[in-house]
Amino acid sequence: AMGHFLDEALVADVALRHRLAEYFSNVTRSESMRTRWKAYYDVVDVEYRDTQARLAKAQAEVAAAASVEPVGGAPNIALDQKLAQVEELKEALRVKPASSDAAGSAPRVYIHITDNAQRSRAEQIGRQISSALSLAVPGVQRVSKGPSVTELRYFNGASKSEADAIASYITGLGVQTQAKYIPGYESSTLIRPRHYELWFGQSALVSG
């Protein structure tokens, strides 16, 4: 059993290594072993705090990237990259078994509105699709220009079925939505798989 813990303490994400080193530096019966674990804990603690600082910086960069409006129908690649970095750092700081398996990339839907009057309902829809479809919705971004009708944009032809299903679900929430393929990104290494963008039509979600 101790061998298993040693393996995880050496190769797991920093949060688990931090927790194990702290634990064994306090409970190990051998004083010499406690001293070694304490020395290891001091090293890991520096890495742990550095990861926390990197996360705070990455989250600030996400806020800055979110204020940059995407050009035309192009995906907001800078925001996607920053969000990916935030997720990776959060994952490193989350205590979990080292053997946990992240099975593929979860779908992500980025929401765009053109009027702040749309924000509340857009956020509500974001929460609904996140809960019902088990996908990530990083937030709502306001842009100056948008389509006349609500679009669920996808950037890889292989994603058509999933895009259609998401669009259909949103339509079921009372907002007519069509899936729209945006070509030119099939070979892009800058966009994660299952990247979608929900662009609400200019008059969508606005009552009266």
Side-chain angles (χ1 to χ4, degrees):
M2 177 61 76
H4 169 71
F5 284 125
L6 286 172
D7 287 343
E8 293 205 339
L10 292 173
V11 304
D13 283 334
V14 66
L16 182 57
R17 289 187 282 115
H18 190 262
R19 179 70 62 84
L20 289 173
E22 181 180 29
Y23 176 76
F24 285 114
S25 67
N26 285 287
V27 304
T28 303
R29 291 183 179 181
S30 166
E31 183 176 351
S32 62
M33 287 297 294
R34 284 200 308 274
T35 299
R36 292 179 184 179
W37 276 110
K38 179 61 170 63
Y40 180 62
Y41 170 80
D42 290 342
V43 172
V44 175
D45 189 53
V46 172
E47 181 184 353
Y48 184 78
R49 293 176 184 277
D50 177 66
T51 304
Q52 288 179 315
R54 288 166 57 204
L55 173 60
K57 180 181 178 182
Q59 288 173 322
E61 290 174 345
V62 163
S67 66
V68 178
E69 200 170 301
V71 178
N76 193 333
I77 293 174
L79 179 59
D80 194 30
Q81 290 175 320
K82 296 299 181 184
L83 282 164
Q85 183 181 15
V86 166
E87 288 182 9
E88 288 168 3
L89 290 169
K90 282 184 176 179
E91 190 69 11
L93 290 170
R94 185 177 297 119
V95 177
K96 58 191 180 301
S99 58
S100 64
D101 179 24
S105 300
R108 282 197 250 172
V109 176
Y110 297 83
I111 297 178
H112 298 78
I113 57 175
T114 57
D115 188 331
N116 273 327
Q118 299 172 304
R119 185 174 297 278
S120 178
R121 179 72 175 119
E123 290 175 344
Q124 181 186 36
I125 289 174
R127 290 191 294 270
Q128 288 174 296
I129 62 176
S130 176
S131 174
L133 305 179
S134 299
L135 48 78
V137 180
V140 176
Q141 179 182 5
R142 184 183 177 186
V143 294
S144 60
K145 296 180 181 179
S148 58
V149 297
T150 301
E151 299 174 350
L152 192 284
R153 299 179 179 179
Y154 62 102
F155 303 88
N156 189 306
S159 299
K160 183 181 187 306
S161 295
E162 187 169 56
D164 286 339
I166 297 171
S168 177
Y169 184 83
I170 296 168
T171 296
L173 296 177
V175 183
Q176 187 65 40
T177 304
Q178 63 181 30
K180 182 177 181 179
Y181 172 56
I182 306 296
Y185 298 93
E186 296 283 353
S187 302
S188 175
T189 59
L190 299 176
I191 302 176
R192 282 191 167 195
R194 306 173 80 187
H195 172 112
Y196 304 98
E197 295 185 359
L198 176 58
W199 290 69
F200 282 109
Q202 295 175 6
S203 60
L205 312 183
V206 179
S207 59

